[in-house]
């Protein structure tokens, strides 16, 4: 049996995956903001006799210090982690800053995934077939990245923030695979397609109507799970791979360019170092 950590596991795809893996006999650690939803997860696990294999860590992963706290808990409690599944994100029509002073989408959808992945390398490496599954939106053009304004201080749009976040996660996968591929960790980028989740976010009226329209043809959550489950149970042989609605896409074209990935990695380290200098909080890796 495996130990699975799911960031954003109290709702939507993460929640469904947590229930599925508990039913499979795995140990499942769920990370999420809502204490109420976390308690519901633990109670649900108890009803099927899985309470000893279910764990909830409450955390606001948009905050750098919270990521570090979560990492310390995970490393102390679980010497081996087989799979890290990254699902957490939150749409905002209006630009908002975290308590660290970082644009929230950038912090939650990208920086948190950067910190958790890099921070768990040792525990992942201890597993037989370790994998990081990043549920984002692989395959977009590099043109969506605003290199001179990664936190979208100018001309912010919620959809653009999520679009850029998906591309940043592609590039994160490139550098992660390059750095740790020899350790056996596999990095899998997955776009499950439009799925009938709660669409976590804060929407204006126009965007909300669009979301409601999307929900009318979205696939059920359970239909989004197979590619994720496959990646956990049988990680691809290559250090980096990407799938859109179950179909594999290439990761060797310009949109996954190593030089762009290196550029982003360096920018990320500068941002983390800057905030560590301000707050005494965690820096890069």
């Amino acid at each position: 049996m495996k130990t699975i950590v799911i960031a954003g596991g109290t709702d939507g795809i993460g929640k469904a995956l947590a229930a599925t893996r508990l039913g499979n006999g795995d140990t499942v650690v769920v990370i999420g903001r809502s204490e109420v939803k976390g308690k519901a997860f633990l109670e649900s696990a108890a009803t099927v006799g899985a309470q000893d294999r279910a764990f909830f860590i409450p955390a606001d992963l948009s905050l750098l210090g919270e990521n570090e706290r979560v990492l310390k808990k995970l490393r102390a409690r679980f010497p081996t982690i087989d799979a890290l599944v990254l699902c957490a994100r939150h749409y905002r029509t209006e630009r908002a800053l975290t308590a660290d002073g970082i644009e929230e989408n950038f912090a939650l959808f990208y920086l948190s995934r950067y910190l958790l992945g890099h921070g768990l390398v040792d525990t992942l490496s201890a597993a037989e077939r370790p994998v990081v599954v990043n549920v984002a939106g692989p395959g977009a053009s590099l043109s969506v990245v605003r290199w001179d304004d990664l936190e979208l201080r100018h001309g912010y749009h919620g959809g653009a923030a999520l679009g850029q976040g998906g591309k940043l996660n592609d590039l994160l996968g490139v550098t992660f695979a390059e750095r740790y591929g020899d350790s056996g960790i596999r990095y899998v980028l997955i776009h499950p397609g439009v799925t009938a989740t709660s669409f976590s976010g804060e929407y204006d009226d126009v965007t909300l109507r669009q979301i409601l329209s999307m929900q009318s043809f979205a696939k059920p959550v359970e239909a989004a799970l197979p590619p994720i489950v496959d990646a956990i149970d049988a990680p691809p042989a290559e250090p980096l791979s990407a799938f859109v609605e179950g179909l594999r896409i290439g990761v060797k074209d310009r949109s996954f360019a190593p030089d762009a990935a290196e550029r982003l990695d360096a920018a990320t380290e500068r941002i983390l170092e800057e905030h560590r200098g301000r707050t005494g909080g965690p820096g890069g890796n």
Side-chain angles (χ1 to χ4, degrees):
M1 296 298 102
K2 297 178 181 291
T3 297
I4 315 294
V5 174
I6 307 173
T10 58
D11 207 349
I13 291 172
K15 177 182 177 181
L17 179 66
T20 297
R21 299 312 300 200
L22 277 179
N24 193 52
D26 294 327
T27 294
V28 178
V29 186
V30 161
I31 308 165
R33 297 190 196 199
S34 172
E35 297 267 9
V36 172
K37 292 179 180 180
K39 182 180 178 181
F41 164 68
L42 297 176
E43 290 174 347
S44 176
T47 63
V48 295
Q51 61 270 22
D52 294 337
R53 295 185 285 106
F55 300 85
F56 170 62
I57 301 177
D60 180 352
L61 293 176
S62 70
L63 300 176
L64 303 182
E66 286 283 89
N67 282 275
E68 186 62 24
R69 180 177 63 82
V70 167
L71 285 169
K72 288 179 179 178
K73 281 183 173 290
L74 290 171
R75 290 191 292 247
R77 179 65 178 80
F78 304 99
T80 300
I81 292 173
D82 296 275
L84 170 64
V85 184
L86 303 167
C87 294
R89 73 177 194 178
H90 185 81
Y91 185 96
R92 280 190 178 275
T93 296
E94 300 292 334
R95 186 175 186 271
L97 298 180
T98 69
D100 296 320
I102 302 172
E103 192 275 312
E104 189 176 86
N105 278 288
F106 183 75
L108 177 62
F109 192 20
Y110 170 65
L111 283 182
S112 173
R113 299 182 186 214
Y114 180 97
L115 291 169
L116 292 176
H118 286 291
L120 291 175
V121 165
D122 288 345
T123 50
L124 286 162
S125 297
E128 183 178 353
R129 300 183 72 186
V131 64
V132 178
V133 181
N134 191 332
V135 182
S141 166
L142 280 172
S143 64
V144 303
V145 179
R146 299 189 195 174
W147 290 107
D148 59 346
D149 187 17
L150 289 174
E151 296 183 50
L152 305 188
R153 292 178 174 86
H154 308 287
Y156 175 88
H157 183 278
L162 289 187
Q164 175 178 260
K167 188 70 251 173
L168 299 185
N169 279 294
D170 284 359
L171 299 178
L172 167 58
V174 173
T175 51
F176 191 98
E178 176 64 26
R179 192 171 299 174
Y180 306 117
D182 289 344
S183 72
I185 304 173
R186 297 301 176 244
Y187 206 98
V188 184
L189 299 157
I190 289 182
H191 184 349
V194 180
T195 306
T197 67
S198 64
F199 290 93
S200 174
E202 299 175 23
Y203 303 95
D204 60 17
D205 290 342
V206 172
T207 308
L208 181 58
R209 285 195 294 271
Q210 293 172 344
I211 292 298
L212 293 174
S213 175
M214 289 170 59
Q215 286 179 324
S216 67
F217 61 83
K219 68 177 69 173
V221 171
E222 291 73 20
L225 295 185
I228 301 172
V229 170
D230 288 346
I232 293 172
D233 289 337
E238 298 79 11
L240 176 66
S241 55
F243 297 84
V244 176
E245 297 196 69
L247 299 177
R248 191 160 186 165
I249 65 171
V251 293
K252 299 295 185 181
D253 63 26
R254 180 60 193 164
S255 67
F256 290 88
D259 60 334
E262 291 172 7
R263 181 180 181 182
L264 176 63
D265 190 70
T268 303
E269 291 291 336
R270 287 194 298 271
I271 290 168
L272 291 172
E273 188 65 27
E274 175 187 352
H275 284 277
R276 181 173 60 178
R278 289 178 184 173
T279 66
N285 293 278

